[in-house]
């Protein structure tokens, strides 16, 4: 089967969603944009996800991992592997928090480059869609992500400053 064939796979459950996130993360070649409520319970502290993201960030210093959350505290407090990546790759990995004005947005998604994505219909609904080789919708989601990103602010960094 050709790598360019459009594929849509319906997701039904947390296990499907975590596997779809793994697929999207592994397919990223240049940019990975991820929007979630809080990143809790969806595999961002797993060793496998850490390894995939680390390889992605090591592959090219221009690669970017952008993580956007309504509440980044679970990611910061309970995902030490992600904080290790942030410390090692602070020049190419960023974690931002959405402002209160965007907290009404309830549909999480992740987009790899302008080709692959996974999205759920609502934070509280594990049903969703994994799309591979769908550049039109991937670009639309990336534009949405960028609009949210521009209104958001950094919430943590890989360095610790203090006296």
């Amino acid at each position: 089967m050709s790598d360019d064939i459009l594929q849509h796979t319906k997701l039904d459950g947390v296990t499907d969603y975590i596997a779809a996130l793994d697929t999207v993360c592994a397919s990223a070649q240049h940019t990975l944009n991820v929007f979630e409520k809080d990143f809790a319970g969806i595999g961002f502290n797993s060793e496998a996800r850490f390894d995939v993201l680390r390889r992605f960030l090591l592959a090219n210093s221009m690669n970017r991992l952008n993580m956007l959350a309504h509440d980044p505290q679970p990611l910061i407090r309970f995902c030490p592997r992600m904080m290790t990546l942030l410390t090692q790759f602070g020049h190419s990995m960023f974690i931002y928090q959405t402002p209160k004005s965007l907290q009404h947005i309830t549909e999480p998604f992740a987009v790899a480059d302008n080709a692959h994505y996974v999205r759920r219909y609502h934070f509280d609904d594990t049903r969703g869609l994994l799309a591979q080789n769908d550049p039109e919708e991937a670009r639309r989601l990336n534009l949405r992500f960028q609009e949210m990103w521009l209104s958001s602010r950094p919430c943590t960094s890989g360095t610790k400053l203090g006296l």
Side-chain angles (χ1 to χ4, degrees):
M1 178 159 44
S2 171
D3 288 337
D4 295 338
I5 294 176
L6 173 69
Q7 295 178 343
H8 283 177
T9 305
K10 291 183 180 181
L11 309 174
D12 190 24
V14 175
T15 303
D16 285 353
Y17 184 65
I18 291 171
L21 276 170
D22 287 338
T23 298
V24 169
C25 290
S27 68
Q29 298 296 308
H30 306 289
T31 304
L32 180 59
N33 294 326
V34 186
F35 167 63
E36 283 288 337
K37 179 179 183 178
D38 59 17
F39 289 89
I42 54 173
F44 277 91
N45 198 46
S46 73
E47 187 173 348
R49 179 92 41 89
F50 170 84
D51 290 340
V52 165
L53 294 176
R54 186 170 188 278
R55 278 193 305 275
F56 165 70
L57 293 168
L58 280 171
N60 187 319
S61 64
M62 298 301 291
N63 286 357
R64 295 293 178 259
L65 172 56
N66 301 312
M67 304 176 83
L68 181 61
H70 287 330
D71 177 10
Q73 290 308 307
L75 181 66
I76 293 166
R77 290 183 182 163
F78 305 115
C79 294
R81 288 187 173 107
M82 289 298 99
M83 296 302 98
T84 298
L85 283 179
L86 185 62
T87 300
Q88 293 174 348
F89 300 98
H91 63 284
S92 55
M93 178 182 174
F94 307 92
I95 301 173
Y96 275 42
Q97 181 174 8
T98 58
K100 291 195 184 302
S101 63
L102 295 180
Q103 303 266 321
H104 66 282
I105 299 172
T106 59
E107 300 166 342
F109 59 91
V111 186
D113 304 317
N114 274 319
H116 315 291
Y117 64 88
V118 59
R119 69 177 181 196
R120 291 191 335 238
Y121 305 117
H122 191 277
F123 292 133
D124 299 329
D125 187 351
T126 56
R127 292 176 301 138
L129 179 73
L130 167 64
Q132 295 171 288
N133 304 304
D134 187 348
E136 185 176 323
E137 184 65 12
R139 277 192 290 274
R140 190 188 73 72
L141 287 171
N142 271 330
L143 285 173
R144 184 176 183 197
F145 185 89
Q146 290 305 319
E147 289 172 359
M148 293 167 47
W149 189 261
L150 290 173
S151 297
S152 300
R153 60 178 168 70
C155 60
T156 189
S157 71
T159 61
K160 294 184 181 186
L161 303 175
L163 297 175

